[in-house]
Amino acid sequence: MALSSPSASERSSLLSSATEFDAIVVGSGIGGLVTATQLALKGASVLVLERYLIPGGSAGYFEREGYRFDVGASMIFGFGQQGTTNLLTRALQAVNVSLETIPDPVQIHYHLPDDLELKVHRNYENFLQELIACFPHEAVGIRRFYDECWRVFKCLNVMELLSLEEPRYLARVFFQHPFACLGLVKYLPQNAGDIARRYISDPVLLQFIDIECYCWSVVPADRTPMINAGMVFSDRHYGGINYPKGGVGQIAQKLVEGLEKCGGQIQYKARVTKILQKNGRAIGVELASGKSYYAKRIISNATRWDTFEKLIPPTQMPAAEHRWQRRYQKSPSFLSLHLGVKAEALPLRTECHHILLEDWERMEAAEGTIFVSIPTLLDPSLAPPGRHIIHTFTPSWIEAWQHLSPSEYKARKAAAAAHLMQRLERLFPNLAASVDYQEIGTPRTHRRFLGRDDGTYGPIPRRKLAGLLGMPFNRTAVSGLYCVGDSTFPGQGLNAVAFSGFACAHRVATDLGL
Ligand SMILES: NC(=O)c1ccc[n+]([C@@H]2O[C@H](COP(=O)([O-])OP(=O)(O)OC[C@H]3O[C@@H](n4cnc5c(N)ncnc54)[C@H](O)[C@@H]3O)[C@@H](O)[C@H]2O)c1
Ligand SMILES: CC(C)=CCC/C(C)=C/C=C/C(C)=C/C=C/C(C)=C/C=C/C=C(C)/C=C/C=C(C)/C=C/C=C(\C)CCC=C(C)C
């Protein structure tokens, strides 16, 4: 009689805790999954442990009444077809899976104070012309600033992107691309604001550059590393913003498919509560169920705060982590409003992504800047016929949502949602009357479902730092323990954490002698 191969859930229950894996990855965010797939490809035995029911973390999804909502990001970089910085395309291709993507013709439609309205077109020249039309006296400065961003991008986009902690790789890329490497060395300690001020003096235009940075880095240009600005401000015109058909959740689903094809394993509902150590070395993990697994290397895709304050006792926090926490703090979380609306709510020619701000003074304030994403304009299959998804989110700190009784919490959610809807009417005049489904997420929701301390979006500099120089790479002060994801170099963003995954797998594979 032929035996059928075990299903994923059967396989996970067959996992023996006596097995020693080459690597255990705690968490299946995009950072964790890129590490796991790359390691499995290199022949490592890999186990991914995910506390939730599905993979993806912040890049996950949830379904309600015929709508498929993205949990977080829906403006996706890294899906281009050329160059070396298209790391999501590369991560999927590496494990022989692919994903159809839909090009977005406009990255962001900005609705800013004093009726400043403008669109960042996929075509670079069209974007520059639109911006120059708003600030004609700064035509030269605008071009010089954004052209300098391209110089950063061009340095990155010629080289293989792997671990900067691997001296032989560094020597190789330096030999292959000496000018690009020297270019990056020059930009690594710089921030976008300093370069913008070299070319631009109009204070409103400088505020525009601030919000151009803020809407993905959650800090103004002065504190945004130039390397990251170079990536974002150029890749949106090079590879472009592309939406994965079927929703952002597909990226993680496909990576898991690739992982399993390469012999790697993933277990869901597997919350790691402790990183096990022996003689100061990480040797395994313990789950909430009490089960333990062992590996030669442990990789945490949880945030650094969760890794070094919860999975390892805070009393054992290495000095390097204390130093990092003095330089970086948790960014705010988000208040998210997931709406299903009737199609007539959207005016003709509405774009997919919007930023709305009424007062420059409130750009960084809680519930100041509003982010809007309407993915159904690119992929209508995410909603029932005649309906759209409007995902609106705005920065919010956990403190505003703590110490409330259940009824106070519910009332505060309803009031915050009503206020957001009222502000959104500048974009969608009949919004309130068109709502078909509504779900509100708070920083508490993000903390609970994503397992991120205080629901944070990621680390932000406490003060102005020297570009990316202060961001840690993948190795940690605990032997055998690595970190991957947005609290490692180069920070937030799916393409950024994909880079961190490639780099982490490279470093771990080298350490394992693979
Ligand atoms: N609105 C947005 O656009 C938005 C919002 C939030 C995050 N993001 C982006 O999402 C990306 C985050 O990616 P990432 O890879 O760093 O992390 P992630 O937070 O997406 O994934 C971490 C994963 O680890 C799991 N996990 C955490 N602790 C665990 C534990 N103890 N045991 C088992 N599993 C555990 C989580 O459930 C999650 O699936 C960043 O790029 C960020 O910028 C975007
Ligand atoms: C040899 C010698 C001597 C030297 C060498 C040097 C070198 C080599 C260096 C290197 C470096 C590197 C590699 C670097 C890298 C970097 C990278 C990759 C980066 C990346 C980045 C990216 C990013 C930042 C991205 C981001 C994004 C994001 C965050 C997004 C977000 C979004 C959102 C939030 C949404 C919004 C909106 C609406 C809705 C409207």
Side-chain angles (χ1 to χ4, degrees), residues 24-304:
I24 287 176
V25 181
V26 181
S28 66
I30 299 302
L33 286 175
V34 172
T35 313
T37 46
Q38 287 293 309
L39 278 172
L41 255 182
K42 294 177 207 288
S45 57
V46 183
L47 171 64
V48 180
L49 296 167
E50 168 56 54
R51 66 204 285 282
Y52 193 46
L53 309 167
I54 54 165
S58 313
Y61 70 95
F62 59 95
E63 289 178 326
R64 301 279 188 277
E65 299 185 11
Y67 293 95
R68 182 179 291 176
F69 294 106
D70 296 325
V71 165
S74 62
M75 181 198 289
I76 311 295
F77 296 80
F79 265 135
Q81 292 307 317
Q82 311 158 53
T84 58
T85 53
N86 54 346
L87 294 168
L88 291 179
T89 305
R90 285 171 172 261
L92 292 165
Q93 273 173 358
V95 284
N96 219 4
V97 289
S98 65
L99 196 49
E100 193 184 328
T101 59
I102 306 158
D104 191 348
V106 168
Q107 181 217 4
I108 296 183
H109 184 173
Y110 284 103
H111 313 264
L112 299 173
D114 302 315
D115 294 323
L116 177 59
E117 290 272 330
L118 68 103
K119 296 183 186 180
V120 181
H121 299 274
R122 193 176 180 107
N123 180 292
Y124 180 53
E125 203 46 46
N126 290 356
F127 161 60
L128 287 192
Q129 289 310 326
E130 190 153 332
L131 187 57
I132 289 170
C134 299
F135 301 93
H137 50 290
E138 289 279 18
V140 174
I142 289 174
R143 204 172 275 281
R144 286 202 177 144
F145 170 67
Y146 285 105
D147 280 357
E148 183 138 2
C149 293
W150 275 103
R151 281 201 277 285
V152 176
F153 181 74
K154 283 178 183 156
C155 292
L156 279 170
N157 203 37
V158 289
M159 58 177 66
E160 194 187 4
L161 297 175
L162 290 172
S163 175
L164 302 184
E165 294 180 285
E166 220 304 78
R168 274 170 307 178
Y169 157 74
L170 284 182
R172 191 172 76 235
V173 285
F174 187 73
F175 184 70
Q176 289 167 338
H177 307 284
F179 294 112
C181 285
L182 292 174
L184 291 173
V185 169
K186 175 179 134 193
Y187 288 115
L188 272 173
Q190 302 204 47
N191 289 314
D194 297 328
I195 295 185
R197 271 198 306 276
R198 217 175 276 162
Y199 302 123
I200 292 170
S201 52
D202 182 306
V204 179
L205 182 54
L206 287 170
Q207 280 169 320
F208 174 74
I209 305 290
D210 275 337
I211 202 158
E212 275 261 89
C213 292
Y214 180 81
C215 69
W216 49 271
S217 70
V218 211
V219 281
D222 247 9
R223 281 181 279 151
T224 299
M226 183 58 185
I227 298 251
N228 288 357
M231 273 291 291
V232 169
F233 296 156
S234 309
D235 189 36
R236 62 190 183 180
H237 307 290
Y238 180 85
I241 303 297
N242 300 285
Y243 188 78
K245 195 161 170 38
V248 172
Q250 287 298 308
I251 307 172
Q253 304 273 354
K254 287 283 176 182
L255 284 172
V256 167
E257 191 183 313
L259 173 71
E260 290 180 333
K261 273 193 202 171
C262 296
Q265 302 177 55
I266 182 163
Q267 220 184 97
Y268 300 105
K269 295 194 272 182
R271 182 164 65 89
V272 171
T273 49
K274 199 190 271 179
I275 290 173
L276 302 171
Q277 298 181 62
K278 192 170 173 190
N279 302 327
R281 183 181 173 81
I283 55 158
V285 296
E286 188 176 297
L287 304 191
S289 64
K291 205 162 178 173
S292 306
Y293 291 112
Y294 296 88
K296 296 184 183 121
R297 296 294 186 277
I298 309 297
I299 298 148
S300 175
N301 186 205
T303 73
R304 294 195 99 81

Side-chain angles (χ1 to χ4, degrees), residues 78 203 272 315 359 380 442 461:
V272 171
T315 49
D359 174 1
T442 71

